[in-house]
Amino acid sequence: MSNRIDVKKTYKLFINGVFPRTESGRTYEVKSAKGSFIANPCLASRKDLKDAVVAARAAHHGWNKATAYNKGQILYRLAEMLEGRRAQFVDEIIAVTGATKAKAEKEVSESVDRLVWYAGWSDKISSLSGALNPVAGPYYNFTIPESMGVVAAIAPETPSLLGLIDVIAPIIVSGNTLVVLASSKAPLSAMSFAEVIATSDVPAGVINILTGMKDEIAPWMASHMDIDGFDITGLATKKHAEIRASGAENLKRIFAFKSHDPARILAFMEAKTVWHPIGL
Amino acid sequence: MSFYGLVDGTDTSLKNYLGSLSGVDQVGADARAAMLATRSIKTTSKRWAIDMAISMVDLTTLEGADTVGKVQALCTKAVRPDPTDLTVPSVGAVCVYNDMVATARKHLDLVGGQHVGVAAVSTAFPSGRASMPVKLRDTRDALDAGASEIDMVIDRGAFLSGHYIDVFNEIVAIKELCGTRAHLKVIFETGELVTYDNVRKASFLAMAAGADFIKTSTGKIAPAATAPVVLVMLEAVRDFYSMTQQRIGVKPAGGIRNTKDAIKQLVLVNETAGPEWLTPSLFRIGASALLNDLLMQRMKMDTGYYASPAYVTID
């Protein structure tokens, strides 16, 4: 029998490489599958979103300029760090979802593997999707995909860890920076994953994670003039039309995805075409 | 010169005058500034504050890499900060190095900015390390080129060594040169003055010597315009007004980058010096990046969407 007092973790947000509380001071309750209290994560407000976008915008230039090799290394580093802490993630998944140990272990393993898979795409995506175009003139004409800028995302409710990683990895691997709203019912793995990010050489502001309610945050993500793309995979299908309409005002590119796929990377990239004169 | 009857221009009288000042309660000043920073300004008040702050901005570019083109672009922006919205007021002045004063004045007049002043940083800005003839010549240059405001730096070395009379005489000489042609702003570089007592002392010294404005910093050194320093200076102008019936302006500069910071400054002004100081002729904010944030906040209030820096100019 131990006399130690429980040391419980305070679940905060992850913005610009640090862990602030929400500016609103609000929290909400996360309960286990059986209904018992687990934690009080932050209930992020639109102003937390605004701060996160400012951080993401500031981080974009540097992250976009990092070499594909370097970005791949950093994604692989995320996988290494996650692997080293798998026990904690397994426990959190079991506590919140009531999943069996085997099922939770499988989700964490798949998450690690998924990070490695996307890390591998880093230095291949532009060669595979770029092109040398035939043109009727004395020019070389290249098309190369480039990152879009700041992308927002709503992570799916389940699986809370694997779903989050499927949202994060394809968006950042191309050089975008990201503001993601974690699963509302199971945000613990997301905030623990923020600790993995903080120790993996991901520059501050490249990945920002909020916890809170989709219905409160998603409309602000859609209407924000400084967010270039929006992954609404985690948003209920009946909300899609409204969000797409609001994002159309600022020409935001909005997509939802069903599985992991290199198309997820390309969705948040833009094609740049360069004309280079021959013989100069 | 009468110096408001506070000093007679001698070392002894200046030392007596500065010695009669009470010290600043550092803990109290920090706490008061922190408390005032928690005021929440919303909706119509915020809208009013944003426009007030825009009209108080001294839009500044003080880079070694400044070009004629950059100064001209800055002047155009100063007159009409948001070309798509004519209800946005012009800024208070543009603030440039001496050699850009003529360019700035000419371009402001060209784009309908006769009401926007040109502030020149002179007296060997930012260090102030030059001989007096050079500082005078520097200032005369700026005045001849059309500067309507002179931002001079004090000799911090002399001030910190206790040679107050040298600092005093310098300000008096520059003020004499400005005469009625230009307003004189005196920059303390509070980041180098170390204590709030020194800030208070420098404020009273500069005001007695004839400063029209007292200004925190050059913007080249951090910390610059922190809230407690501005509070101490605002208290100084308030007390100076009760002694002389003369209102001296205050200009915080450096480190005020967003709307929230600017509104905090306005709260400080209103609660310390009083609402009479809430005018561009008595309060200015030296800044460059701030204006874009004010414009973006204004757009947010108009459209209901968070704005993007892609819709405002880079400089």
Side-chain angles (χ1 to χ4, degrees):
Chain A
M1 168 83 194
S2 159
N3 291 325
R4 290 190 67 234
I5 297 170
D6 267 0
V7 179
K8 294 220 161 156
K9 178 151 85 183
T10 312
Y11 288 89
K12 297 189 276 188
L13 306 176
F14 184 60
I15 299 174
N16 205 19
V18 294
F19 294 86
R21 288 187 167 80
T22 165
E23 63 79 37
S24 65
R26 303 173 307 172
T27 58
Y28 68 104
E29 266 190 25
V30 170
K31 291 186 172 160
S32 72
K34 288 183 188 139
S36 60
F37 170 82
I38 297 181
N40 278 322
C42 290
L43 181 57
S45 69
R46 64 183 169 88
K47 291 186 183 173
D48 295 314
L49 169 67
K50 179 189 79 174
D51 292 344
V53 172
V54 170
R57 178 58 67 191
H60 178 247
H61 183 77
W63 180 241
N64 187 42
K65 282 273 171 290
T67 59
Y69 175 67
N70 185 223
K71 285 193 282 254
Q73 273 184 320
I74 288 177
L75 257 79
Y76 190 82
R77 179 85 177 154
L78 283 170
E80 290 174 4
M81 293 291 116
L82 183 57
E83 179 72 31
R85 295 176 55 167
R86 51 185 305 133
Q88 181 195 353
F89 283 89
V90 169
D91 289 349
E92 276 172 350
I93 291 169
I94 294 172
V96 178
T97 63
T100 61
K101 180 137 198 236
K103 213 177 154 212
E105 293 263 12
K106 183 163 175 273
E107 184 183 338
V108 176
S109 298
E110 276 184 45
S111 300
V112 173
D113 296 349
R114 198 61 53 80
L115 280 167
V116 173
W117 191 76
Y118 277 113
W121 277 107
S122 174
D123 56 358
K124 299 167 188 71
I125 193 82
S126 64
S127 329
L128 289 174
S129 67
L132 180 58
N133 311 310
V135 288
Y139 297 95
Y140 292 117
N141 185 278
F142 306 95
T143 298
I144 354 164
E146 287 195 338
S147 74
M148 237 175 212
V150 176
V151 177
I154 306 279
E157 282 298 320
T158 54
S160 67
L161 178 63
L162 183 58
L164 179 80
I165 282 168
D166 259 336
V167 164
I168 290 178
I171 289 173
I172 66 157
V173 71
S174 64
N176 290 306
T177 54
L178 170 70
V179 182
V180 58
L181 181 69
S183 161
S184 306
K185 284 192 199 116
L188 303 197
S189 349
M191 291 329 292
S192 296
F193 188 67
E195 294 157 17
V196 168
I197 297 167
T199 51
S200 299
D201 297 334
V202 179
V206 170
I207 307 172
N208 303 277
I209 306 182
L210 308 178
T211 54
M213 296 302 146
K214 296 182 175 67
D215 287 349
E216 181 183 357
I217 301 296
W220 287 102
M221 285 179 160
S223 69
H224 199 305
M225 302 289 281
D226 204 27
I227 295 176
D228 302 303
F230 191 10
D231 179 342
I232 51 171
T233 303
L235 205 60
T237 319
K238 61 175 193 286
K239 302 269 183 193
H240 284 197
E242 179 195 333
I243 290 295
R244 283 181 195 279
S246 145
E249 287 230 14
N250 51 58
L251 303 179
K252 189 165 285 145
R253 272 56 56 88
I254 300 181
F255 302 102
F257 304 95
K258 290 206 160 56
S259 61
H260 63 285
D261 186 327
R264 281 185 94 136
I265 307 175
L266 286 170
F268 295 111
M269 296 184 86
E270 288 171 341
K272 180 168 85 176
T273 296
V274 182
W275 295 70
H276 182 78
I278 292 173
L280 283 178
Chain B
M1 285 225 165
S2 67
F3 311 122
Y4 306 100
L6 296 167
V7 288
D8 61 13
T10 62
D11 192 19
T12 320
S13 74
L14 183 63
K15 282 204 166 127
N16 287 339
Y17 164 66
L18 294 177
S20 70
L21 298 171
S22 57
V24 179
D25 169 3
Q26 189 188 337
V27 176
D30 287 344
R32 171 103 182 126
M35 188 274 280
L36 289 174
T38 62
R39 294 276 171 90
S40 184
I41 308 291
K42 300 287 182 208
T43 62
T44 47
S45 312
K46 183 172 177 184
R47 182 57 187 254
W48 179 88
I50 287 174
D51 281 4
M52 179 55 78
I54 291 174
S55 69
M56 286 172 166
V57 166
D58 274 4
L59 195 56
T60 304
T61 182
L62 297 172
E63 306 288 336
D66 283 347
T67 59
V68 168
K70 185 177 176 193
V71 170
Q72 288 175 336
L74 192 83
C75 290
T76 308
K77 184 168 184 173
V79 177
R80 194 155 290 162
D82 182 353
T84 63
D85 183 353
L86 300 183
T87 63
V88 180
S90 300
V91 304
V94 294
C95 183
V96 291
Y97 270 119
N98 271 357
D99 62 329
M100 288 293 175
V101 171
T103 305
R105 185 69 267 160
K106 192 172 153 207
H107 196 75
L108 281 170
D109 293 343
L110 187 72
V111 295
Q114 285 81 1
H115 56 293
V116 178
V118 176
V121 291
S122 52
T123 71
F125 181 94
S127 65
R129 299 253 67 87
S131 66
M132 202 53 210
V134 172
K135 290 183 181 178
L136 286 169
R137 182 58 212 267
D138 195 23
T139 309
R140 192 172 299 123
D141 244 19
L143 290 169
D144 291 346
S148 53
E149 302 172 14
I150 295 292
D151 288 25
M152 71 170 285
V153 287
I154 63 166
D155 180 347
R156 281 87 75 188
F159 183 89
L160 291 168
S161 338
H163 301 141
Y164 302 124
I165 192 70
D166 295 346
V167 180
F168 186 84
N169 287 338
E170 264 188 29
I171 301 174
V172 170
I174 302 288
K175 172 68 186 176
E176 212 171 85
L177 200 57
C178 293
T180 53
R181 295 165 75 186
H183 265 60
L184 178 63
K185 304 195 196 107
V186 178
I187 307 172
F188 301 147
E189 197 63 298
T190 51
E192 291 182 345
L193 293 191
V194 190
T195 65
Y196 296 161
D197 281 353
N198 277 343
V199 174
R200 186 172 167 82
K201 215 174 261 180
S203 303
F204 277 90
L205 180 150
M207 289 188 288
D212 299 300
F213 257 85
I214 50 177
K215 173 174 169 184
T216 58
S217 330
T218 60
K220 302 287 182 197
I221 280 182
T226 64
V229 158
V230 179
L231 178 82
V232 169
M233 288 168 64
L234 285 163
E235 283 174 346
V237 297
R238 177 197 63 197
D239 295 349
F240 193 78
Y241 174 72
S242 66
M243 287 155 63
T244 64
Q245 298 303 299
Q246 189 71 29
R247 288 198 174 97
I248 306 296
V250 176
K251 175 177 171 184
I256 303 167
R257 293 204 177 82
N258 58 44
T259 304
K260 218 175 211 172
D261 293 342
I263 292 180
K264 279 178 195 168
Q265 296 282 343
L266 297 186
V267 172
L268 276 177
V269 174
N270 191 58
E271 300 298 314
T272 312
E276 297 81 10
W277 264 264
L278 280 176
T279 151
S281 60
L282 285 173
F283 194 75
R284 292 282 181 81
I285 301 170
S288 34
L290 169 66
L291 183 58
N292 277 347
D293 197 64
L294 287 165
L295 293 175
M296 280 162 60
Q297 285 285 326
R298 214 173 177 278
M299 289 175 193
K300 156 76 174 63
M301 297 195 88
D302 284 345
T303 61
Y305 311 140
Y306 282 118
S308 160
Y311 293 79
V312 291
T313 58
I314 293 168
D315 282 315

